[in-house]
Amino acid sequence: MSLDPALIALANDMADAAGTVIRRYFRTPVGVDTKADESPVTIADRETETAMRALIDRRRPQDGVLGEEHGRQRLDAEYLWVIDPIDGTKAFITGMPVFGTLIGLMHRGQPVLGIIDQPILRERWLGIAGQATTMNGQRIVTRPCPSLDKAFLYSTAPDMFKGDDAIAYERVKSKVRQPRFGGDCYAYGLLTMGFADLVIEASLQPYDYCAVIPVVEGAGGTMTDWQGKALTIDSDGRVVAAGDRAAHKAALQALAG
Amino acid sequence: MSLDPALIALANDMADAAGTVIRRYFRTPVGVDTKADESPVTIADRETETAMRALIDRRRPQDGVLGEEHGRQRLDAEYLWVIDPIDGTKAFITGMPVFGTLIGLMHRGQPVLGIIDQPILRERWLGIAGQATTMNGQRIVTRPCPSLDKAFLYSTAPDMFKGDDAIAYERVKSKVRQPRFGGDCYAYGLLTMGFADLVIEASLQPYDYCAVIPVVEGAGGTMTDWQGKALTIDSDGRVVAAGDRAAHKAALQALAG
């Protein structure tokens, strides 16, 4: 089944609307609040999600929405939008232009569309299930990486790995060519273009990863939870993305110990 | 004593020349070698430094040069250029546009000029001793940050803190509002624009920090070693930069324990 072009157009329009709000606030002194989970949030996050939801409400009122800032509605709808207005709020509020807007669409629980949009650098990754991923309209592909000792690994921050997760992460980290922190969703974009080989994260929410799955898979990569299972909105927040299936398998083995 | 405009022009021309080389290699599949200190290096690093040194050799053959890739010459000259063609090679080789070219000029051991240049985003910070720092020609200033619990802290990577340094760093990290990794020289640039409050690093070389000092100080910030002493090319590689003198003092106290 090919995806209704109206859904792709809506996703692109949501990314455009998000970028308009974000560019207005980027590198301005926005107030930063702290949420219950200790993560920061700003008026830019909230206004951006409001702008994205307004488009869904107008064109697809029957669809479900799961967003970082304004909660969940109609989770049992046939189509569910899973959105994060600013993935990488810590980067955003410090003026670092490597955060992104994430727009995922699930159809009966399966990821069918994903956008990673960097509105300052004006880079947009679009992934559609069964199709080749594009970045600003150009087809992109991951690179080969046959083993962990060749791998460039990204993770957003060491603190995302708690308890046993930290031990599992260290096992992978000690085997790769280069570990690095500070990517947020942008790291997955670099992986799809063949400039990084692995992204391993934990403590994620569905809006942090659902949009990323079609982008990674349409570029030739693989993205699962730490057991190698397909990701759903009910996954445990642990993800492994790899450009090469061999690196993905090796990462899963190292995580398992 | 005001700085000879020919020196400022040379520094800008070196940054221009560096950017031309770097833009040619960015997001291309460059081979990555590993140096004796385990850090990565590419042909882009080497060619960029060669281009920068060619300009010094032509216009200021009497000056000293200390560069990351091609060694040191005439360290006892009146003027010493301290340069890093690509600070943040790990960011560069993974396609992340937040590395930078660093150009520092020391006069009899004192930092008198610094450039941080991001050639992909085309952002250039210029600091001159005794003058206001500019970013792309606009004057910039740090923001107030009266205490550590308000501070947004950047460091390039947790692994730069070894042994007791890691313990000292953790003491600061536990007190700040938000710690974050992945900045390289770009983090100092964000600090000078008032989007971050502290940068604390260790295991640095002179070419990683000499250029940054005039940029930070000309924007109203303070930058010293972990004892609060002025940085020289013989410092121990531990630096603290702060936008506000109060945050700098508090960071030094927390580092000392």
Side-chain angles (χ1 to χ4, degrees), chain A residues 27 32 34 90-91 93-96 121 123 152 154 158-159 173 177-178 180-182 184 186 190 195, chain B residues 27 32 34 90-91 93-96 121 123 152 154 158-159 173 177-178 180-182 184 186 190 195:
Chain A
R27 294 191 178 172
V32 180
T34 302
K90 292 176 181 179
I93 59 186
T94 53
M96 185 76 93
L121 310 182
E123 293 173 331
F152 288 71
Y154 264 99
D159 294 356
K173 187 186 175 206
R177 172 144 190 201
Q178 179 189 294
R180 201 171 150 74
F181 296 107
D184 296 300
Y186 202 76
L190 297 175
F195 299 118
Chain B
R27 294 192 178 171
V32 180
T34 301
K90 293 177 181 179
I93 59 186
T94 53
M96 185 75 91
L121 309 182
E123 292 173 332
F152 288 70
Y154 264 99
D159 294 356
K173 186 185 176 208
R177 172 142 190 202
Q178 179 188 294
R180 200 171 151 73
F181 297 106
D184 296 299
Y186 201 76
L190 297 175
F195 299 118

Side-chain angles (χ1 to χ4, degrees), chain B residues 22-59:
Chain B
I22 291 168
R23 281 187 293 272
R24 201 166 66 226
Y25 285 110
F26 184 63
R27 294 192 178 171
T28 67
V30 291
V32 180
D33 297 330
T34 301
K35 294 193 283 191
D37 67 356
E38 296 288 307
S39 70
V41 64
T42 72
I43 188 172
D45 299 78
R46 294 184 177 124
E47 269 190 30
T48 300
E49 188 166 318
T50 298
M52 294 163 80
R53 281 175 181 259
L55 283 167
I56 298 171
D57 288 348
R58 192 176 325 146
R59 294 198 217 160

Side-chain angles (χ1 to χ4, degrees), chain B residues 221-254:
Chain B
T222 307
M223 185 166 167
T224 67
D225 71 9
W226 286 14
Q227 275 74 48
K229 286 185 301 210
L231 293 160
T232 72
I233 64 165
D234 300 312
S235 295
D236 63 12
R238 298 177 178 88
V239 313
V240 187
D244 186 315
R245 214 164 273 277
H248 184 261
K249 187 177 168 191
L252 290 181
Q253 284 171 345

Side-chain angles (χ1 to χ4, degrees), chain B residues 17-256:
Chain B
T20 300
V21 178
I22 291 168
R23 281 187 293 272
R24 201 166 66 226
Y25 285 110
F26 184 63
R27 294 192 178 171
T28 67
V30 291
V32 180
D33 297 330
T34 301
K35 294 193 283 191
D37 67 356
E38 296 288 307
S39 70
V41 64
T42 72
I43 188 172
D45 299 78
R46 294 184 177 124
E47 269 190 30
T48 300
E49 188 166 318
T50 298
M52 294 163 80
R53 281 175 181 259
L55 283 167
I56 298 171
D57 288 348
R58 192 176 325 146
R59 294 198 217 160
R60 300 277 308 178
Q62 72 276 33
D63 291 353
V65 189
L66 192 173
E68 170 155 22
E69 309 306 341
H70 299 308
R72 37 190 74 196
Q73 288 173 288
R74 299 178 295 279
L75 283 198
D76 56 348
E78 180 181 0
Y79 284 98
L80 174 67
W81 297 89
V82 184
I83 60 179
D84 191 349
I86 301 179
D87 178 73
T89 299
K90 293 177 181 179
F92 171 78
I93 59 186
T94 53
M96 185 75 91
V98 290
F99 56 89
T101 298
L102 294 178
I103 301 167
L105 180 63
M106 313 289 276
H107 179 246
R108 302 193 196 284
Q110 300 291 315
V112 290
L113 177 149
I115 281 179
I116 303 173
D117 190 72
Q118 211 312 310
I120 309 304
L121 309 182
R122 300 204 184 243
E123 292 173 332
R124 181 173 303 175
W125 285 262
L126 170 64
I128 297 170
Q131 296 187 27
T133 293
T134 58
M135 200 282 262
N136 288 355
Q138 300 295 307
R139 184 171 175 176
I140 51 171
V141 289
T142 61
R143 68 182 171 195
C145 178
S147 56
L148 289 184
D149 63 332
K150 303 275 191 288
F152 288 70
L153 163 68
Y154 264 99
S155 312
T156 293
D159 294 356
M160 66 181 5
F161 304 106
K162 322 272 189 205
D164 288 347
D165 286 1
I167 298 165
Y169 167 76
E170 283 296 327
R171 275 196 299 268
V172 185
K173 186 185 176 208
S174 67
K175 293 183 170 68
V176 299
R177 172 142 190 202
Q178 179 188 294
R180 200 171 151 73
F181 297 106
D184 296 299
C185 62
Y186 201 76
Y188 298 90
L190 297 175
L191 180 144
T192 63
M193 297 171 78
F195 299 118
D197 304 292
L198 282 170
V199 184
I200 298 181
E201 305 207 285
S203 310
L204 297 188
Q205 296 295 325
Y207 43 75
D208 295 319
Y209 60 79
C210 284
V212 177
I213 304 164
V215 175
V216 167
E217 298 196 334
T222 307
M223 185 166 167
T224 67
D225 71 9
W226 286 14
Q227 275 74 48
K229 286 185 301 210
L231 293 160
T232 72
I233 64 165
D234 300 312
S235 295
D236 63 12
R238 298 177 178 88
V239 313
V240 187
D244 186 315
R245 214 164 273 277
H248 184 261
K249 187 177 168 191
L252 290 181
Q253 284 171 345
L255 286 168

